[in-house]
Amino acid sequence: MKNLLSMEHLTNRELISIILRAEEFERGEQPTLARSYNIANLFFEPSTRTSTSFEMAERKLGCTIIPFDANFSSALKGETMYDTVKTLEMIGLDAVVIRAKEDEYYNELLEGINVAVINAGDGAGQHPSQSLLDLYTIHKEFGQFEGLNVTIAGDISHSRVAKSNAIALRNLGVNVRYLCPPEWAGDFEAHHSWDGLIEDSDVVMLLRVQHERHAVNSGFSKESYHEQYGLTVERASKMKKNAIIMHPAPVNRDVEITSELVESERSRIFSQVRNGVYVRMAILETILKGRE
Amino acid sequence: MKNLLSMEHLTNRELISIILRAEEFERGEQPTLARSYNIANLFFEPSTRTSTSFEMAERKLGCTIIPFDANFSSALKGETMYDTVKTLEMIGLDAVVIRAKEDEYYNELLEGINVAVINAGDGAGQHPSQSLLDLYTIHKEFGQFEGLNVTIAGDISHSRVAKSNAIALRNLGVNVRYLCPPEWAGDFEAHHSWDGLIEDSDVVMLLRVQHERHAVNSGFSKESYHEQYGLTVERASKMKKNAIIMHPAPVNRDVEITSELVESERSRIFSQVRNGVYVRMAILETILKGRE
Amino acid sequence: MKNLLSMEHLTNRELISIILRAEEFERGEQPTLARSYNIANLFFEPSTRTSTSFEMAERKLGCTIIPFDANFSSALKGETMYDTVKTLEMIGLDAVVIRAKEDEYYNELLEGINVAVINAGDGAGQHPSQSLLDLYTIHKEFGQFEGLNVTIAGDISHSRVAKSNAIALRNLGVNVRYLCPPEWAGDFEAHHSWDGLIEDSDVVMLLRVQHERHAVNSGFSKESYHEQYGLTVERASKMKKNAIIMHPAPVNRDVEITSELVESERSRIFSQVRNGVYVRMAILETILKGRE
């Protein structure tokens, strides 16, 4: 594994290997890198949890982090992504973690670039490290994937998480179902009501209503979205005994989910954040070891 | 001491213990923390000196600092302060230093949050680490507090420093007097002329004229403010033999104080900055040791 | 060498000594600083490569870097550069690297400031660390300077690089020629055509067309600039056997230079970036050792 760009490039074997390594890190195993690697985090879009999670993972791996202020960089002067990353390579970076607005921005980095590239979200494309932490969270809970019912609910057509997860979960034998307002389904075949879905879901995976991306005003108030598509206390009460609630966060409380459920017993929302550090350690270690 | 939120929560004993520990650090004593703690500095308002001072104190304590760009965070997506801080807790942070625009923003962090919270300024509320470094500066100078005359001059009703210091200084037996234009007194009982105040002050504590906070245009030119309420060379010449000048900075030169006085013999303005690092080391060490 | 402010302050001897030290760093020699120095990088203008290059050099020298967000600092509150830097001195900084919009901003730092100041670009003034890395790049290639023909092409009158390099190259016995549209020559005596220049140049040093600085719209389209003043494949084919292409970057591809030449055999554009780290290590080590 030289880079991590899209879930489509990952084999089930690679994916499981990352999950197992994350598990080892969570149990307290130490990383085994030969030296301190130089890493920069290029976040052209805001993201508290992804950037701080990568930062923490990098520290735990003993990396040297070179700060990069994407909002104040030569990209503003029209420099191409290729030239920006090539420059960082020349300065001595070993890997870059990138979040950018453009779908598949990484295509221009496939040739001529020798630093490792870890995609931390590309436009309306993928978000593979989030997807891997979701898979890790599910695996920790159920020990395997085959035959699980996972319901992904929300702004599906605009969600990087929905896309990344759909590919991986299907490959792992999971039964993936979608729930969303008809206007938000895009190319997905989706349910438009919780009836019949909530009762047999092993995982209810809520997506953020992405106000800031939503091109079309869909005519929903927060209240009506919550009522029809949100996870309410009443709906949560119908969930199976061991079923869990997930959300990539940040949460719009009382929109996707009733506020009091966010830290309820079924919720793994904050555990996902904790899991993310171990998963990102596993991703980075795997990629950096490939360079040794 | 689990957190540092407001001077109101500190006993005189806790306060003195921080001052004495800062003194030890200034004399060259080494910190005695059991491990490297993870800290993030969340500055939702700009502040060169407070943020770099905390950064330096954290380095000297051997902390690992996870960068957090408040202006580019999920708070922009409407995430609550609780969710932001809980996320950082899950990522592995031990403490967060926060400056925010909202008065008492920390109230939503009192329940359910297990990281330590150090308030580095809340709206028009308090700024306890600044207050403690002011107290340290006075203590270094006079060896005690009882019976000192401290005159706080300037934009009192909008000043976090005035509020924080008033509470603590009074508790320590200091005679605190205020000087400001009538329009700026707020709930404080204030003098409106230096006559009779300058001559017996042990400490003249000037406050920044906070253009950026001042809701009402008070009809003062910089020149007329300086003339009536600023510390001029003539006024400074009337000060007692060992009296000192303080200012939390940044200074508006020739507004609160005549420029040439900023680095005069009586001035402790830049010493305050130096003292701040030792005081913040003491604050952080005290709080982090409480977690061991 | 206490500071690095302008190429005009450097003797040939100091300059050569930095070049030779950079060469040693490139060969793998270790820095010899007595302790970990505290440094802050104050970038009031965006610059990916200069700021990350300094960061990397500082790490390699074992420095402690205190983050400073220039766009979110007390400078916004009107604090003077002197007070900002004096504050950092009081906090414990040993050196500051500054890029600022004002020409010769450093003049207010010459008295009363005890931290070392390294100028990383001042307005339309100088950019001495870039100049030194250019000199290092030329020296690496040709082993000496005397009698070389260097053609500097582009937006000369607005270029910090042109100014810094002109001074140093002439002092070193280089034959410097300028090429630019008549409107952009400023006080420089410039050629307006490549004819006769391209064939005997040892170094073609292209400058960025600085859209963001250009006060006057000069009436050029990118295409017409490229055709008349850019380095095209045809022009490059006329260059001498060992002649090289340089550019301080970021490059406007197909404006100053045809895109495919950027990574051609003659190009040292990305090597310059790599060289910059060694040169900045040499600059910082020299200045910091002067403080021991």
Side-chain angles (χ1 to χ4, degrees), chain C residues 58-111:
Chain C
E58 293 155 5
R59 305 284 168 131
K60 289 192 173 209
L61 293 175
C63 295
T64 297
I65 305 167
I66 300 296
F68 182 94
D69 187 344
N71 263 1
F72 198 57
S73 74
S74 293
L76 299 181
K77 300 184 189 168
E79 191 176 48
T80 63
M81 184 71 88
Y82 177 91
D83 285 350
T84 298
V85 173
K86 192 74 192 172
T87 296
L88 294 172
E89 179 183 325
M90 290 299 111
I91 281 166
L93 276 286
D94 297 296
V96 290
V97 176
I98 304 181
R99 162 160 304 182
K101 290 190 177 67
E102 298 74 27
D103 285 24
E104 300 186 27
Y105 65 83
Y106 48 78
N107 284 338
E108 60 170 305
L109 306 178
L110 298 178
E111 301 248 328

Side-chain angles (χ1 to χ4, degrees), chain A residues 38 64-68 72-74 76-77 79-80 82-83 86-88 90-93, chain C residues 43-49 52-53 55-56 59 71 208 212 250 253 263 270 273-274 277:
Chain A
N38 298 316
T64 297
I65 304 168
I66 301 295
F68 182 94
F72 198 57
S73 74
S74 293
L76 298 181
K77 301 184 187 169
E79 191 176 49
T80 62
Y82 178 91
D83 286 350
K86 191 76 192 173
T87 295
L88 294 172
M90 289 299 112
I91 282 167
L93 276 287
Chain C
F43 276 71
F44 295 93
E45 290 190 319
S47 173
T48 305
R49 85 205 60 238
T52 51
S53 177
E55 284 269 352
M56 183 62 89
R59 305 284 168 131
N71 263 1
R208 177 178 170 75
E212 72 276 22
R253 287 172 176 259
E263 293 187 72
F270 284 118
V273 178
R274 185 196 301 275
V277 177

Side-chain angles (χ1 to χ4, degrees), chain C residues 12 15-16 135 144-150 165-176 202:
Chain C
N12 277 5
L15 187 156
I16 294 294
L135 297 175
Q144 53 86 48
F145 294 99
E146 191 70 38
L148 291 176
N149 292 327
V150 173
N165 281 353
I167 297 164
L169 288 168
R170 288 243 166 80
N171 288 342
L172 291 162
V174 170
N175 179 26
V176 181
D202 294 293

Side-chain angles (χ1 to χ4, degrees), chain B residues 155 157-158 183-184 209-218:
Chain B
D155 192 357
S157 63
H158 292 85
E183 299 87 335
W184 294 3
V209 176
Q210 303 204 38
H211 302 298
E212 72 275 23
R213 272 181 207 285
H214 231 300
V216 185
N217 184 322
S218 307

Side-chain angles (χ1 to χ4, degrees), chain B residues 100-158:
Chain B
K101 290 191 178 66
E102 297 75 27
D103 285 23
E104 299 186 28
Y105 66 82
Y106 49 76
N107 285 338
E108 58 170 306
L109 306 177
L110 299 178
E111 301 250 325
I113 295 291
N114 300 308
V115 295
V117 178
I118 293 100
N119 179 15
D122 63 300
Q126 295 232 342
H127 190 355
S129 69
Q130 174 72 42
S131 189
L132 286 163
L133 81 85
D134 289 343
L135 297 175
Y136 177 57
T137 303
I138 295 171
H139 190 265
K140 234 171 98 172
E141 202 68 35
F142 300 100
Q144 52 86 49
F145 295 98
E146 192 68 39
L148 292 177
N149 291 327
V150 175
T151 307
I152 304 182
D155 192 357
I156 292 160
S157 63
H158 292 85

Side-chain angles (χ1 to χ4, degrees), chain B residues 90-291:
Chain B
M90 289 298 113
I91 282 167
L93 276 287
D94 297 296
V96 289
V97 175
I98 303 180
R99 161 159 306 183
K101 290 191 178 66
E102 297 75 27
D103 285 23
E104 299 186 28
Y105 66 82
Y106 49 76
N107 285 338
E108 58 170 306
L109 306 177
L110 299 178
E111 301 250 325
I113 295 291
N114 300 308
V115 295
V117 178
I118 293 100
N119 179 15
D122 63 300
Q126 295 232 342
H127 190 355
S129 69
Q130 174 72 42
S131 189
L132 286 163
L133 81 85
D134 289 343
L135 297 175
Y136 177 57
T137 303
I138 295 171
H139 190 265
K140 234 171 98 172
E141 202 68 35
F142 300 100
Q144 52 86 49
F145 295 98
E146 192 68 39
L148 292 177
N149 291 327
V150 175
T151 307
I152 304 182
D155 192 357
I156 292 160
S157 63
H158 292 85
S159 170
R160 292 190 279 239
V161 178
K163 268 171 220 170
S164 298
N165 282 354
I167 298 165
L169 289 168
R170 288 245 165 78
N171 288 342
L172 291 161
V174 169
N175 178 26
V176 182
R177 295 92 56 95
Y178 299 101
L179 171 78
C180 69
E183 299 87 335
W184 294 3
D187 298 336
F188 291 81
E189 202 170 306
H191 298 250
H192 306 305
S193 156
W194 281 102
D195 296 345
L197 281 180
I198 193 73
E199 295 82 356
D200 72 347
S201 292
D202 295 292
V203 178
V204 169
M205 191 180 277
L206 303 166
L207 300 178
R208 178 178 169 76
V209 176
Q210 303 204 38
H211 302 298
E212 72 275 23
R213 272 181 207 285
H214 231 300
V216 185
N217 184 322
S218 307
F220 283 106
S221 70
K222 291 183 177 189
E223 290 72 19
S224 69
Y225 181 86
H226 187 59
E227 205 179 301
Q228 290 182 62
Y229 304 101
L231 187 62
T232 60
V233 173
E234 198 217 328
R235 284 183 188 125
S237 72
K238 295 183 189 157
M239 288 173 71
K240 280 166 69 174
K241 186 155 179 290
N242 295 314
I244 60 169
I245 302 166
M246 294 172 64
H247 190 303
V251 173
N252 293 306
R253 286 170 177 260
D254 295 321
V255 182
E256 297 103 47
I257 180 171
T258 302
S259 188
E260 66 185 272
L261 291 173
V262 172
E263 294 185 72
S264 65
E265 212 190 322
R266 285 186 185 292
S267 170
R268 295 297 174 272
I269 298 178
F270 285 119
S271 309
Q272 285 173 273
V273 179
R274 187 197 300 276
N275 295 340
V277 177
Y278 302 116
V279 167
R280 290 179 175 115
M281 287 175 73
I283 293 169
L284 289 165
E285 192 200 48
T286 304
I287 288 174
L288 293 170
K289 276 184 106 63
R291 299 173 64 83

Side-chain angles (χ1 to χ4, degrees), chain C residues 206-233:
Chain C
L206 304 166
L207 300 177
R208 177 178 170 75
V209 176
Q210 302 205 38
H211 302 296
E212 72 276 22
R213 271 181 206 284
H214 232 299
V216 185
N217 184 322
S218 306
F220 284 105
S221 69
K222 291 183 178 190
E223 290 73 17
S224 70
Y225 181 86
H226 188 59
E227 205 179 300
Q228 289 182 61
Y229 304 101
L231 187 64
T232 58
V233 173

